[in-house]
Amino acid sequence: MTQKERRTYLIMELLKEDKGSAGFKLGLVPGNEGGFVIPDDEKSQRDILRALMNIRGPYSISEDFLKIQDEYLQQVNKERGITDIADLKPTEGKSKLYLWQGDITTLKVDAIVNAANSALLGCFAPLHICIDNCIHTFAGIQLRLACNELMKKQGHEEGTGLCKITPAFNLPSRYVLHTVGPIIYTSVGPREKLLLANCYKNCLETALQNQLESVAFCCISTGVFRFPQDLATQIAVETVEKWLSENPDSSIKKVVFNVFGNKDLEIYKKVLGQK
């Protein structure tokens, strides 16, 4: 199958699942025999498929669907470009710390960190730009299913500052570490600082328990959770450096601070003492 054939198949299967209600939710134009008109251009099709994956609940699907989805996503991720941590250089004077600007879903590393919400099922908002949405989109629907299994066993929402690990499925990383950062409603107090530090600490502890060698952190809580970027960066670097100094013989050899925007890049450079 070509990528267009795979994409069309996946879209049609997802639309058939709930007898078209997903199509109406996304505002697709109804077509003949209860179907929907699917635009022919690639961007529109990509957006429709991503949106359908975003809103789909954590229920099972056929092995045929997963096979074609995996083939499709692996090609998409290859086309998006993959950065191998082996090709990155550590920050000056800090052999285990790395600063990298880019899309964390394209990084080949043992584990990437997802800034999750307390439901731990990913972002259900169609085409949302948050990292939670992006990670689930490019990993595939298996990631939501895996998270759902963890949450069903747990029986309650995930606590702030804790960590869960899942496979990364179609992402170039091996695993995803899911952590819930603190939400800032008014101002940052001691409790919020501790909870954010716990996110970094517990992700490292989980990575160690699974004998991982490399971890890439996103900027936890600094987006829609409104944690001030400068303070969050300081906490992130101090917590990671302290943990590494206290665990010199751990399996973890490389820790990446991943940033996407230029502002975060400059803040991390300053805190890390880089030019």
Side-chain angles (χ1 to χ4, degrees):
M1 297 175 74
T2 65
Q3 279 294 81
K4 184 174 183 179
E5 289 171 339
R6 294 186 182 108
R7 190 165 53 243
T8 302
Y9 167 85
L10 296 172
I11 290 172
M12 299 307 295
E13 288 298 305
L14 291 174
L15 286 173
K16 287 191 297 185
E17 271 189 332
D18 54 7
K19 299 181 180 179
S21 66
F24 287 110
K25 288 179 184 177
L26 298 180
L28 299 182
V29 178
N32 296 328
E33 300 178 358
F36 293 88
V37 177
I38 307 301
D40 192 55
D41 66 286
E42 182 177 341
K43 183 183 184 306
S44 295
Q45 290 184 0
R46 281 177 177 258
D47 286 348
I48 290 170
L49 177 56
R50 175 172 179 170
L52 287 168
M53 292 170 66
N54 293 159
I55 66 175
R56 185 182 189 274
Y59 39 85
S60 61
I61 199 165
S62 71
E63 289 299 320
D64 287 341
F65 180 95
L66 293 178
K67 178 178 180 296
I68 293 173
Q69 176 215 240
D70 291 353
E71 292 172 350
Y72 174 75
L73 285 178
Q74 286 165 22
Q75 181 61 30
V76 166
N77 289 333
K78 182 179 179 182
E79 291 170 356
R80 294 168 66 231
I82 295 173
T83 299
D84 194 324
I85 190 174
D87 296 328
L88 302 182
K89 294 181 179 180
T91 57
E92 186 177 348
K94 303 176 187 292
S95 62
K96 291 186 177 182
L97 299 184
Y98 294 68
L99 177 60
W100 179 69
Q101 184 178 25
D103 183 343
I104 200 170
T105 65
T106 65
L107 186 59
K108 185 177 180 181
V109 64
D110 282 347
I112 62 171
V113 173
N114 178 28
N117 57 51
S118 59
L120 221 71
L121 297 179
C123 172
F124 283 83
L127 308 179
H128 197 256
I129 61 172
C130 71
I131 190 170
D132 198 11
N133 187 297
C134 293
I135 287 175
H136 277 263
T137 292
F138 295 109
I141 64 173
Q142 298 100 314
L143 184 55
R144 180 166 286 166
L145 298 177
C147 289
N148 187 53
E149 285 299 311
L150 289 175
M151 298 308 287
K152 282 170 60 178
K153 291 177 182 178
Q154 179 164 282
H156 57 81
E157 290 190 334
E158 181 74 345
T160 304
L162 304 180
C163 178
K164 291 285 190 297
I165 186 170
T166 65
F169 298 101
N170 290 292
L171 295 172
S173 61
R174 294 170 56 203
Y175 297 96
V176 178
L177 300 173
H178 307 263
T179 190
V180 182
I183 301 173
I184 306 304
Y185 295 101
T186 54
S187 59
V188 179
R191 181 175 182 275
E192 288 76 20
K193 294 178 183 178
L194 177 62
L195 289 172
L196 183 60
N198 284 344
C199 289
Y200 289 90
K201 178 181 176 181
N202 286 323
C203 283
L204 291 170
E205 291 288 348
T206 302
L208 175 59
Q209 290 165 12
N210 289 272
Q211 291 297 297
L212 306 186
E213 294 187 359
S214 54
V215 177
F217 283 102
C218 61
C219 300
I220 302 167
S221 278
T222 61
V224 295
F225 283 13
R226 299 180 296 276
F227 207 108
Q229 292 165 290
D230 295 78
L231 181 56
T233 302
Q234 182 180 342
I235 292 171
V237 173
E238 288 179 355
T239 303
V240 170
E241 288 189 323
K242 181 180 179 183
W243 190 92
L244 290 173
S245 68
E246 293 175 347
N247 298 271
D249 299 321
S250 76
S251 61
I252 301 173
K253 308 302 180 188
K254 299 179 180 181
V255 176
V256 181
F257 294 113
N258 165 245
V259 297
F260 192 75
N262 291 331
K263 182 179 179 181
D264 283 319
L265 178 64
E266 292 307 313
I267 292 173
Y268 263 97
K269 281 183 176 180
K270 181 179 178 181
V271 173
L272 288 167
Q274 305 299 303
K275 296 180 180 179

